[in-house]
Amino acid sequence: MEGLTLAHTVYAVVFGAIMVLGLPLNAVSLWILIRRHSLKSSNAILMVNLAFSDLLLAFSLPMRIYFYSTGTWTFSVGTCTWLTMLFRNNMRSSSIFITFISVDRLLAVVYPLRSRHLRTSSNAWKSAIAVWLILMVVTIPGGVMFSRGLNSCNDSTCFELPRCEWNNPVKIVLLYSTSAFLLIVLVVNIVSTALVAWTLSRHLSDSAQVNNKVNVMLIYVMNLIMIIVCFLPLSLALLFNSWKPARYPLVCLTSVNCCLDPFLYYFSLDAFWKKKVSHKNPAVWN
């Protein structure tokens, strides 16, 4: 880092505020999800994984606060690499689980009976485990490249992309892949939002009555805001090689998602599904 400036102090304060809010919010949310809501529902299982992902990000923030407040890094390159990959995986895992939640609500509203065999706890756990395994595999090349960059570039310090390797082919592939992935996630959430809004504007069948349509739409609005505001700008900045001037504000903005996700749990699990049991088709929505 090229000296400690007022901007660096501001970033340290911002990360500190995010940690102070995100750590207890996600810890309490995770406890409530496990204790108060049955993990037999696909929705609750997906949210448990989202809360766990945000909690991991919150645990990594003290190191960032130390780095930006002191301008020095006294720990190993391996520690820096691990914390950096943890941050990047949060962006990927959060966007994935947010999208899964959107699709889960879409199936519950638009295809309530036909999706019952899909929206099971078993499928939710299988999907979550698959996501974590894939992220572990994807992290390996990015972590190796970042570690090598820190060791070989004299102008790089922790939490900064090695600027002497912008033309690395592996880096270019990872940047394009991440951007394409986030654009796909955005499209899926936009389509899900449109379909649910269209369905809620029509007469719902008895098997899929919704008690609070406003809360349902709030879930989708929050999902879109988190993807468009928190995740997409950082990805596009990296893709168009504008990382240098925008890196600190966009990293701070991306970290804010761990403070917003707990509100998603409230609106999604605040019993807005109207429980209705039919003698022919018993259905209890979670």
Side-chain angles (χ1 to χ4, degrees):
M1 186 179 291
E2 300 173 357
L4 187 62
T5 66
L6 177 61
H8 297 147
T9 303
V10 172
Y11 300 136
V13 172
V14 171
F15 279 120
I18 294 173
M19 183 194 70
V20 168
L21 290 175
L23 194 57
L25 280 175
N26 284 283
V28 171
S29 296
L30 189 60
W31 183 83
I32 292 176
L33 286 168
I34 295 174
R35 286 292 300 271
R36 298 293 183 87
H37 297 277
S38 173
L39 293 184
K40 294 180 180 179
S41 73
S42 58
N43 197 31
I45 291 170
L46 294 174
M47 291 188 177
V48 163
N49 282 273
L50 180 58
F52 178 72
S53 174
D54 290 335
L55 200 57
L56 290 178
L57 173 64
F59 279 129
S60 72
L61 292 182
M63 290 295 191
R64 285 185 178 269
I65 297 170
Y66 166 79
F67 176 68
Y68 292 126
S69 60
T70 64
T72 59
W73 182 256
T74 59
F75 303 96
S76 66
V77 170
T79 301
C80 176
T81 302
W82 184 82
L83 292 172
T84 301
M85 294 303 106
L86 190 63
F87 171 84
R88 295 183 186 178
N89 272 346
N90 172 262
M91 183 171 67
R92 300 183 184 113
S93 60
S94 291
S95 58
I96 291 174
F97 287 122
I98 285 172
T99 303
F100 280 2
I101 291 170
S102 295
V103 173
D104 179 78
R105 297 294 84 188
L106 166 69
L107 294 175
V109 173
V110 182
Y111 308 105
L113 295 180
R114 282 182 287 177
S115 65
R116 290 177 63 186
H117 68 287
L118 296 175
R119 299 179 58 250
T120 63
S121 59
S122 176
N123 287 339
W125 280 120
K126 290 177 183 177
S127 300
I129 293 173
V131 168
W132 290 115
L133 290 177
I134 292 173
L135 288 178
M136 289 176 62
V137 173
V138 172
T139 298
I140 295 175
V144 171
M145 183 176 60
F146 186 86
S147 179
R148 289 178 177 176
L150 289 177
N151 286 319
S152 61
C153 299
N154 294 326
D155 62 344
S156 294
T157 51
C158 187
F159 300 130
E160 294 185 6
L161 285 179
R163 296 188 289 276
C164 65
E165 290 194 352
W166 276 112
N167 296 322
N168 187 304
V170 178
K171 181 186 292 293
I172 294 174
V173 171
L174 289 175
L175 289 178
Y176 275 100
S177 299
T178 301
S179 299
F181 162 74
L182 286 175
L183 287 175
I184 292 173
V185 164
L186 177 60
V187 170
V188 172
N189 278 272
I190 291 175
V191 171
S192 299
T193 303
L195 288 175
V196 170
W198 179 78
T199 302
L200 291 178
S201 66
R202 295 161 56 89
H203 175 70
L204 292 174
S205 65
D206 290 341
S207 60
Q209 290 192 6
V210 179
N211 190 39
N212 194 332
K213 296 181 181 181
V214 174
N215 278 11
V216 177
M217 292 311 303
L218 275 175
I219 296 172
Y220 286 94
V221 171
M222 290 180 63
N223 287 350
L224 287 175
I225 289 175
M226 282 187 281
I227 293 172
I228 294 174
V229 176
C230 295
F231 300 136
L232 204 56
L234 179 58
S235 176
L236 294 178
L238 291 173
L239 180 63
F240 293 108
N241 202 10
S242 58
W243 169 251
K244 173 64 175 176
R247 63 176 179 264
Y248 297 118
L250 291 182
V251 169
C252 292
L253 188 62
T254 301
S255 303
V256 170
N257 86 91
C258 75
C259 299
L260 298 178
D261 286 336
F263 294 98
L264 177 65
Y265 313 143
Y266 171 78
F267 288 115
S268 184
L269 292 176
D270 195 26
F272 57 82
W273 293 110
K274 184 177 181 180
K275 183 187 296 184
K276 182 166 183 174
V277 179
S278 169
H279 293 292
K280 294 183 179 179
N281 297 306
V284 177
W285 300 110
N286 299 306

